[in-house]
Each structure stands twice: as structure tokens, then as C-alpha cells.
Amino acid sequence: MKILLTGCAGFIGYHVAKALSERGDDVIGLDSLNEYYDINLKLGRLKQLGIEEKKYQDGKIITSSEINNFQFIKLDLSDKDGLEKLFKQNKFDAVCNLAAQAGVRYSLENPMSYISSNVEGFMNILEACRDNKIN
């Protein structure tokens, strides 16, 4: 299966990326790499997945140097055009959406960031799945 995994640099996303890759699925991991919490944790997880910090750039898919069936794209789910392009260029069989702006307190301090990530981003994923007929 070809799977899009959002939030792949998070704690759960990292472990799901490893499990899906080990299972034999082709995985494209997506993460915006925002600085909501220590970015070095995310970069460390990506490095363990074979993605070097100096190699990625916004909107470009790169292949892991360690896992032959894992690729990464730095992309924000609020980037509807970038997301549509990603779906058009890849025929995903499934999407596992783990991307989210966590933290209730932060949502009170910065509600627009929270809405952009969790509501608009999720809606963009749902629309891309519908438009590309992904179950």
C-alpha cells in the first residue's frame, strides 16, 4: 500500500512511520515541523528515519537514506495547493492523519494557529481524500 502519514515527526507519527515501513508499505511522511515544542525532537526522529535536515525543503519529497520505502515532505496542511499537488502526484491507497496542534492552553493563547492546524488542515486532508477517491 502507498500511505500518506501526516505528523510523521511527532512521537506517535515516528513510530507509525517505522511500523508501516517495516510492514512493507510505501510511506510518504508529512510534517510542517512547526516549533510548537522542541524542534530538535522532531529533527532527531526524522534523522532516525533517514531524513537529514539539510536535504529537505518546503514542498519537495525526499527519499530516506535508511529506509527504502520511506519518503518525507515538509508541508503544512493549511497549504491547500501544496496538498492537492501531493495527492495528484501520488496515488495514495490510504491516509493516516496524525498531524495536529496539541495543547488546550496554547489554543487559548493562539487560537488562529490552532484553527489553521486542526480545523483548516484537517478539512484540507478530508477534501483531498474525497477528491482523490481515497476510502
Side-chain angles (χ1 to χ4, degrees):
M1 287 184 68
K2 187 167 192 175
I3 300 172
L4 173 63
L5 171 63
T6 70
C8 71
F11 178 78
I12 296 171
Y14 161 76
H15 288 284
V16 171
K18 281 183 60 175
L20 291 173
S21 297
E22 288 170 0
R23 186 174 84 172
D25 294 310
D26 293 321
V27 179
I28 295 182
L30 177 152
D31 207 291
S32 68
L33 300 176
N34 65 38
E35 295 184 4
Y36 173 69
Y37 66 85
D38 187 0
I39 189 74
N40 291 315
L41 292 172
K42 297 175 187 183
L43 297 176
R45 291 182 194 118
L46 286 178
K47 188 173 184 178
Q48 289 180 37
L49 293 169
I51 304 297
E52 296 293 328
E53 181 180 359
K54 296 173 185 164
K55 303 256 174 141
Y56 60 77
Q57 48 186 285
D58 288 348
K60 303 288 183 196
I61 296 175
I62 60 168
T63 301
S64 168
S65 62
E66 302 290 324
I67 305 168
N68 65 357
N69 55 338
F70 180 78
Q71 296 178 298
F72 174 74
I73 183 168
K74 182 177 185 249
L75 187 67
D76 194 306
L77 294 182
S78 64
D79 179 355
K80 187 175 182 185
D81 293 337
L83 204 54
E84 287 176 359
K85 182 179 174 184
L86 178 66
F87 272 79
K88 293 281 184 245
Q89 292 176 343
N90 296 274
K91 300 296 180 198
F92 296 114
D93 298 302
V95 173
C96 179
N97 182 36
L98 298 176
Q101 186 76 50
V104 173
R105 287 187 190 121
Y106 185 73
S107 72
L108 297 173
E109 295 169 18
N110 195 343
M112 294 313 292
S113 173
Y114 188 83
I115 293 295
S116 176
S117 245
N118 293 355
V119 178
E120 181 184 355
F122 184 54
M123 187 66 192
N124 288 341
I125 283 284
L126 291 175
E127 286 296 302
C129 286
R130 182 178 67 162
D131 292 345
N132 292 277
K133 298 181 179 23
I134 297 171
N135 293 329

